[in-house]
């Protein structure tokens, strides 16, 4: 659709507009999604590879009706060159207005795939990074690592 209107049914029996969504498309895929609620607007811009796979998703926000937007978050995806719909890397970032740069945050992962000469997977290493909050240290990165191997008998 080009636009969507989302309503909430209230306790007093009326429908209240919760948000308005509008979309633009490129090559049949959503290029931008704009979510509007009052003067607050969230703009999500998605870029795709030549194969139509998601490469980046950038979210920015505006609190002045869309006159000015500020970066908010970004996700960057890398796909396997053989199994092209398999995401082998995802990095998530949030905008740091003090440094005026992207800072990597939680929910990032990396899959390292090794193949033999025939293209068969011989090992897969998966690493997932999640932040862990505690009182003494604001963020501790915890890394989970899994390695699978397949060798011919």
């Amino acid at each position: 659709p080009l636009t969507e209107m989302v309503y909430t049914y209230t306790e007093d029996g009326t429908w209240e507009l919760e948000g308005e969504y509008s979309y633009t498309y490129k090559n049949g895929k959503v290029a931008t999604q704009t979510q509007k609620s009052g003067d607050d607007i969230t703009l999500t811009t998605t870029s795709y590879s030549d194969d139509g796979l998601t490469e980046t998703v950038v979210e920015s926000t505006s609190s002045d009706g869309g006159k000015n937007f500020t970066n908010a978050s970004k996700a960057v995806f890398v796909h396997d060159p053989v199994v092209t719909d398999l995401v082998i890397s995802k990095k998530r970032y949030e905008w740091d207005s003090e440094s005026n740069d992207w800072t990597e945050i939680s929910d990032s992962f990396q899959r390292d795939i090794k193949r033999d000469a025939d293209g068969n997977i011989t090992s897969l290493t998966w690493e997932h990074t999640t932040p862990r909050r505690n009182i003494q240290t604001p963020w501790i990165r915890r890394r989970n690592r899994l390695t699978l191997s397949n060798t011919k008998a």
Side-chain angles (χ1 to χ4, degrees):
L2 292 177
T3 60
E4 290 180 86
M5 307 294 274
V6 178
Y7 293 87
T8 302
Y9 192 71
T10 64
E11 290 181 11
D12 63 0
T14 61
W15 289 97
E16 184 176 299
L17 180 63
E18 185 178 314
E20 181 179 340
Y21 299 80
S22 60
Y23 303 88
T24 65
Y25 297 86
K26 183 175 182 182
N27 298 325
K29 296 196 175 271
V30 175
T32 63
Q33 174 192 344
T34 305
Q35 177 186 359
K36 187 175 182 181
S37 180
D39 278 345
D40 295 331
I41 299 174
T42 301
L43 174 64
T44 304
T45 304
T46 305
S47 67
Y48 301 92
S49 68
D50 291 339
D51 297 327
L53 302 170
T54 303
E55 289 185 328
T56 61
V57 178
V58 178
E59 191 174 272
S60 56
T61 57
S62 172
S63 58
D64 60 7
K67 293 180 182 117
N68 298 292
F69 281 90
T70 302
N71 287 327
S73 66
K74 174 172 75 167
V76 178
F77 302 89
V78 177
H79 296 84
D80 183 70
V82 177
V83 182
T84 57
D85 62 347
L86 174 65
V87 176
I88 58 172
S89 173
K90 178 178 78 171
K91 302 281 185 188
R92 290 185 33 108
Y93 304 87
E94 65 183 20
W95 186 253
D96 183 341
S97 57
E98 289 181 19
S99 67
N100 211 29
D101 200 3
W102 294 106
T103 301
E104 189 176 346
I105 59 170
S106 67
D107 197 27
S108 294
F109 68 82
Q110 177 73 38
R111 292 182 181 120
D112 293 316
I113 298 173
K114 294 194 182 351
R115 291 183 167 85
D116 63 18
D118 297 326
N120 299 312
I121 295 175
T122 58
S123 74
L124 167 72
T125 301
W126 173 77
E127 189 171 315
H128 185 229
T129 304
T130 55
R132 190 170 175 199
R133 206 145 189 50
N134 76 23
I135 296 171
Q136 289 80 23
T137 309
W139 291 101
I140 296 175
R141 291 212 178 267
R142 185 180 70 212
R143 295 188 180 274
N144 301 311
R145 181 175 215 105
L146 170 68
T147 301
L148 305 172
S149 294
N150 178 24
T151 55
K152 293 182 181 180

